[in-house]
């Protein structure tokens, strides 16, 4: 995998991971015609999710889709929440040839919007709704928030380097030809040459979105993941 390929991965890998997660839950193959219970089964879980009507209003899923998603979520997470260790364990299954620990940490923090150390069903649904059915603007906003590690409204070279190292570690032996040790830093320089329009050493949300929207490969790939369930 070359440098240009990894540039697209840096934006799209979150969506790919969730397609894989839905496959593990059995949600993509299940179909929406399958019989489901009328209401969520909440008696045995520690965290009780918000009412379906509220989640339906806050997401782009129907009530029946939310029921199916919840059944899969509860099967994997009986307590009703996912802590960071469990989150890392789930993603490690998809990248056995590499180390996904650091990237999963960044991803977990992006989903844990209230920073309480756990991802609830509500957190899961709101993020998944954006990644799978959100507008291009919403998806890119979400991706920017992931890469803005300290949440100050800017992506610095140091933050992007941390992200790129995490992606390289996660891909492991999938990269071909084998990448040089300084490849992540070279990629960061390429990223900033394209996105840091005013050359002030940081990438703003406007610069990030504008650059991504002008990249036909990114836009085309994002469309492939719309309405997968």
């Amino acid at each position: 995998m070359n440098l240009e390929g990894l540039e697209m991965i840096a934006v799209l890998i979150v969506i790919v991971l969730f397609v894989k997660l839905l496959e593990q839950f059995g949600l993509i193959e299940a179909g929406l015609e399958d019989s489901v219970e009328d209401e969520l089964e909440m008696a045995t879980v520690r965290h009780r999710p918000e009412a379906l009507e509220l989640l339906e209003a806050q997401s782009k899923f129907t009530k029946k889709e939310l029921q199916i998603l919840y059944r899969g979520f509860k099967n994997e997470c009986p307590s009703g929440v996912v802590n960071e260790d469990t989150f890392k364990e789930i993603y490690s299954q998809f990248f056995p040839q590499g180390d996904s620990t650091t990237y999963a940490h960044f991803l977990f923090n992006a989903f844990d919007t209230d920073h309480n150390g756990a991802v609830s069903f509500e957190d899961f649904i709101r993020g998944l709704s954006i990644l799978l059915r959100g507008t291009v603007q919403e998806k890119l906003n979400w991706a920017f928030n992931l890469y803005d590690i300290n949440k100050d409204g800017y992506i610095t070279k140091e933050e992007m380097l941390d992200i790129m190292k995490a992606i390289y570690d996660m891909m492991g032996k999938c990269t071909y030809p084998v990448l040089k040790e300084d490849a992540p830093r070279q990629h960061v320089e390429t990223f900033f040459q394209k996105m840091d329009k005013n050359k002030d050493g940081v990438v703003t949300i406007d610069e990030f979105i504008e650059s991504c929207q002008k990249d036909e490969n990114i836009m085309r790939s994002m469309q492939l993941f719309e309405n997968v369930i």
Side-chain angles (χ1 to χ4, degrees):
M1 182 174 297
N2 58 27
L3 207 59
E4 292 301 318
L6 280 171
E7 180 174 344
M8 189 157 56
I9 284 179
V11 177
L12 300 176
I13 201 164
V14 178
I15 303 175
V16 176
L17 288 172
F18 269 92
V19 171
K20 289 177 178 287
L21 186 59
L22 290 173
E23 289 173 346
Q24 176 171 312
F25 283 171
L27 298 176
I28 292 179
E29 293 82 357
L32 296 181
E33 290 76 18
D34 288 355
S35 166
V36 295
E37 298 177 1
D38 290 336
E39 298 298 331
L40 298 176
E41 301 171 0
M42 299 186 293
T44 61
V45 300
R46 177 165 58 84
H47 173 83
R48 296 194 174 195
E50 297 172 1
L52 283 181
E53 291 76 11
L54 181 57
L55 283 177
E56 186 177 1
Q58 294 175 342
S59 72
K60 298 184 180 181
F61 297 119
T62 66
K63 181 177 180 179
K64 183 168 287 189
E65 288 172 329
L66 289 169
Q67 288 173 321
I68 294 173
L69 286 165
Y70 182 73
R71 288 164 72 88
F73 186 88
K74 192 180 69 171
N75 285 339
E76 292 295 320
C77 315
S79 68
V81 295
V82 184
N83 61 32
E84 185 168 344
D85 289 340
T86 301
F87 199 84
K88 290 177 178 178
E89 183 179 344
I90 291 173
Y91 279 97
S92 68
Q93 298 174 34
F94 304 129
F95 298 93
Q97 75 289 338
D99 182 0
S100 62
T101 302
T102 303
Y103 194 85
H105 167 72
F106 294 140
L107 190 57
F108 180 87
N109 286 341
F111 271 89
D112 181 18
T113 54
D114 54 5
H115 307 296
N116 65 351
V119 173
S120 66
F121 181 63
E122 294 90 333
D123 295 329
F124 176 76
I125 287 299
R126 289 172 188 133
L128 192 63
S129 177
I130 291 172
L131 292 173
L132 295 182
R133 296 190 178 171
T135 64
V136 168
Q137 180 93 9
E138 289 171 334
K139 291 174 183 177
L140 292 177
N141 272 314
W142 200 95
F144 182 89
N145 180 64
L146 170 67
Y147 303 143
D148 178 16
I149 296 175
N150 67 359
K151 313 306 178 193
D152 65 351
Y154 303 95
I155 299 175
T156 65
K157 287 187 176 182
E158 290 75 17
E159 287 174 322
M160 198 63 201
L161 182 60
D162 287 343
I163 292 290
M164 290 311 305
K165 285 180 176 178
I167 291 174
Y168 277 83
D169 288 345
M170 181 169 59
M171 298 305 296
K173 297 177 182 178
C174 281
T175 55
Y176 180 82
V178 177
L179 295 167
K180 297 180 180 179
E181 186 175 345
D182 63 345
R185 190 173 296 278
Q186 291 177 357
H187 177 80
V188 170
E189 292 301 323
T190 301
F191 175 92
F192 269 77
Q193 287 174 11
K194 290 185 177 182
M195 295 201 173
D196 183 13
K197 301 298 184 182
N198 62 359
K199 308 302 179 185
D200 63 351
V202 296
V203 174
T204 65
I205 181 66
D206 291 336
E207 289 173 326
F208 181 80
I209 290 176
E210 179 184 353
S211 297
C212 289
Q213 288 180 329
K214 290 180 179 179
D215 191 311
E216 293 182 1
N217 290 327
I218 291 177
M219 294 299 99
R220 188 180 305 114
S221 298
M222 279 190 168
Q223 293 173 358
L224 293 177
F225 296 100
E226 292 180 355
N227 298 319
V228 299
I229 63 170

